[in-house]
């Protein structure tokens, strides 16, 4: 494995984040902090506890996952789309590095940004709301797994997109609605029976449920199912990326 080539791509992408700190880090943290103020402090004081957890604390895992999903997707898709748009992708493809090393550089940088963002949001939440993390190992495991998975997903979107507007279509029209409907602000058990069955077709439910379990030991589905669904989506993304480099889909044309 060519570590130098991976680091070159990785450091280039991380340097871009340093030049856009307001957009890449500060803006998502401030936006999420507003959720904590409005839903956690203002509205949360008038809400009943959910599964023995105060409402303000209950929504923290969902908000972190929502930010991880949207930012991982956005960072990775923009990171690979810009070389396509400028034409420098051909220099990367012609360099003596493998497709796995290319993916590791771009996806690793996008995931690193998201992990940093998730930890900053977690620290910000502590300012407004008191909470404990029951299973810190599993919390970090889900944080890393979801960041890398959605960075791979964003990488796929960046290759698929042939215009700037398409980069925003999937995050805005698919990822964000699924996050809001995946139990970010409520427990699935609070829904009527019919809508509970519908909700379990939403893959984000399993991610949020597993991550929330790592905080409070409560979830809408078992930990095993949550991990299985997360790993299944990761495997699907890896398979799609492999197919893209094997066929050259929208890379060599």
């Amino acid at each position: 494995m060519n570590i130098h080539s991976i680091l070159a791509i990785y450091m280039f992408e991380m340097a871009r984040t340093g030049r856009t700190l307001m957009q890449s880090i500060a803006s998502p943290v401030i936006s999420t902090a507003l959720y904590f103020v409005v839903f956690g402090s203002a509205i949360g004081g008038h809400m009943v506890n959910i599964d023995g957890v105060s409402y303000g604390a209950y929504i923290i895992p969902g908000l972190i996952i929502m930010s991880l999903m949207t930012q991982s997707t956005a960072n990775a898709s923009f990171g690979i789309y810009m070389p396509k748009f400028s034409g420098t992708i051909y220099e990367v493809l012609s360099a003596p590095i493998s497709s796995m090393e290319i993916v590791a550089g771009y996806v690793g940088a996008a995931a690193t940004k998201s992990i940093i963002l998730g930890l900053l949001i977690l620290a910000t939440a502590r300012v407004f709301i008191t909470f404990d993390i029951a299973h810190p190992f599993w919390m970090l495991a889900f944080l890393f797994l979801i960041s890398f998975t959605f960075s791979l997903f964003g990488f796929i979107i960046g290759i698929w997109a042939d215009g700037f507007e398409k980069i925003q279509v999937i995050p805005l029209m698919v990822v964000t609605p699924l996050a809001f409907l995946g139990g970010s602000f409520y427990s699935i058990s609070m829904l009527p029976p019919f809508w509970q069955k519908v909700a379990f077709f939403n893959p984000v439910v399993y991610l949020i449920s597993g991550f929330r379990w790592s905080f409070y030991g409560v979830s809408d589905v078992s930990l095993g199912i949550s991990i299985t669904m997360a790993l299944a989506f990761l495997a699907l993304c890896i398979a799609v990326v492999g197919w893209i480099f094997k066929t050259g889909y929208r890379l060599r044309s």
Side-chain angles (χ1 to χ4, degrees):
M1 180 177 290
N2 191 338
I3 301 297
H4 294 291
S5 61
I6 296 175
L7 285 176
I9 297 173
Y10 178 87
M11 295 306 296
F12 178 82
E13 288 298 303
M14 293 303 294
R16 182 165 58 82
T17 301
R19 296 191 298 269
T20 59
L21 279 177
M22 287 300 296
Q23 177 185 352
S24 302
I25 302 296
S27 180
V29 170
I30 293 172
S31 298
T32 308
L34 292 176
Y35 279 108
F36 293 137
V37 172
V38 175
F39 288 94
S41 301
I43 298 177
H46 302 280
M47 298 285 288
V48 297
N49 292 351
I50 302 176
D51 295 330
V53 181
S54 67
Y55 184 73
Y58 190 85
I59 65 174
I60 290 172
L63 289 175
I64 294 175
I65 291 297
M66 187 165 64
S67 296
L68 285 179
M69 289 168 54
T70 54
Q71 292 303 313
S72 295
T73 304
N75 288 331
S77 60
F78 188 79
I80 190 61
Y81 177 77
M82 284 307 297
K84 283 179 53 186
F85 177 76
S86 62
T88 57
I89 188 66
Y90 300 112
E91 298 177 6
V92 177
L93 293 174
S94 61
I97 57 176
S98 66
S99 57
M100 182 180 68
E101 291 162 354
I102 295 172
V103 174
Y106 283 108
V107 172
T112 300
K113 299 173 195 176
S114 299
I115 291 168
I116 293 172
L117 179 62
L119 294 175
L120 286 175
I121 292 174
L122 188 64
T124 303
R126 180 71 71 176
V127 176
F128 300 99
I129 302 164
T130 301
F131 63 93
D132 294 314
I133 302 175
H135 308 282
F137 170 80
W138 284 109
M139 186 276 291
L140 291 174
F142 271 103
L143 192 72
F144 277 76
L145 178 60
I146 293 169
S147 296
F148 276 97
T149 300
F150 277 88
S151 293
L152 272 172
F153 182 59
F155 187 87
I156 295 169
I157 293 174
I159 293 175
W160 165 77
D162 54 9
F164 282 102
E165 67 282 353
K166 284 191 175 182
I167 294 180
Q168 300 296 326
V169 168
I170 302 299
L172 290 178
M173 301 297 292
V174 178
V175 175
T176 300
L178 287 178
F180 273 98
L181 297 173
S184 296
F185 299 98
Y186 55 87
S187 171
I188 302 301
S189 62
M190 299 170 66
L191 299 173
F194 172 76
W195 290 111
Q196 287 185 34
K197 295 178 181 178
V198 173
F200 286 124
F201 285 96
N202 181 354
V204 178
V205 167
Y206 303 93
L207 304 181
I208 294 176
S209 183
F211 195 58
R212 183 171 285 133
W213 175 88
S214 71
F215 277 73
Y216 312 119
V218 298
S219 63
D220 293 305
V221 297
S222 69
L223 176 64
I225 295 177
S226 295
I227 295 174
T228 300
M229 291 296 290
L231 292 175
F233 186 44
L234 175 62
L236 177 62
C237 290
I238 292 173
V240 172
V241 169
W243 173 82
I244 286 173
F245 279 96
K246 182 177 180 181
T247 61
Y249 174 75
R250 295 203 173 180
L251 284 175
R252 300 180 183 137
S253 60

